[in-house]
Amino acid sequence: MFEDIMQKFAGSPGQQSVIRLLLERGFSVNDDGRVVSGDIEIPYTQVADAAGVDRRVVDSTTEAILEDDELRRIFQNISQIPSLMDLAPVLDLTVVTVEVQDADEPGIVAAVTGLLAEHGISIRQTISEDPEFTDEPRLYLVTDEELPGDVLTELMNEPFVRSVELS
């Protein structure tokens, strides 16, 4: 789906940058063509700065979104999910980052969360990057405690795991 969305803006790398930013941040476009997070409006100049484009590119991108029924449905229904990852050090939580061989392989999240559950490790949050939105998707787990060495070894020995990082 990501490729289909980006294809609609194939002639404009600037608009593609805006689309990528909206998707990565979970920003919506309201009926007035304004970029919003929930009911908080984000000025075009700030969106433009973050996307590395002129504010007029943001304006033309939101216009194009509203003119396309499929894009309109997507960008009027996207939302953000608060992440505990940046708060982990403050809250004394551990972030486990798992890089996998093939993110399209089914059962990865179930295998990882199942392994932690078997060892009595509570998971506060799981975030899985979509393989369509990023070249190197990762699985992030925020836990109440650090992973013991044996659990870390078991996780690293899973055939689908490329690497594991703790922070």
Side-chain angles (χ1 to χ4, degrees):
M1 178 203 313
F2 180 68
E3 289 178 22
D4 295 339
I5 294 170
M6 296 305 279
Q7 187 61 37
K8 293 183 182 217
F9 296 93
S12 176
Q15 287 184 322
Q16 286 182 332
S17 293
V18 172
I19 291 294
R20 189 173 291 108
L21 177 77
L22 297 178
L23 291 170
E24 287 174 356
R25 305 280 174 90
F27 293 157
S28 300
V29 176
N30 67 18
D31 288 332
D32 298 324
R34 306 305 298 173
V35 176
V36 295
S37 178
D39 59 355
I40 301 170
E41 187 175 310
I42 303 161
Y44 282 174
T45 53
Q46 289 183 332
V47 175
D49 286 346
V53 299
D54 186 86
R55 68 169 185 74
R56 292 172 293 195
V57 175
V58 177
D59 184 43
S60 66
T61 305
T62 60
E63 285 178 15
I65 287 169
L66 293 178
E67 291 170 1
D68 183 293
D69 289 338
E70 180 183 19
L71 293 176
R72 184 183 199 111
R73 276 194 315 272
I74 291 168
F75 286 97
Q76 290 198 330
N77 290 293
I78 194 169
S79 63
Q80 291 182 309
I81 298 173
S83 170
L84 292 175
M85 291 185 344
D86 292 334
L87 291 173
V90 176
L91 300 176
D92 200 27
L93 303 172
T94 298
V95 178
V96 181
T97 304
V98 181
E99 290 187 37
V100 297
Q101 304 292 344
D102 180 9
D104 290 323
E105 185 178 326
I108 293 172
V109 175
V112 173
T113 57
L115 176 72
L116 296 184
E118 286 172 16
H119 291 278
I121 297 170
S122 176
I123 300 170
R124 299 279 299 269
Q125 187 173 52
T126 304
I127 300 171
S128 176
E129 293 178 332
D130 190 315
E132 286 197 37
F133 293 143
T134 182
D135 293 332
E136 297 288 329
R138 292 172 177 83
L139 172 63
Y140 301 96
L141 302 108
V142 180
T143 64
D144 283 325
E145 58 191 271
E146 289 189 30
L147 269 58
D150 60 329
V151 176
L152 186 57
T153 300
E154 259 186 84
L155 181 57
M156 291 174 62
N157 287 334
E158 290 286 344
F160 56 83
V161 173
R162 182 180 321 152
S163 69
V164 177
E165 180 183 316
L166 300 176
S167 55

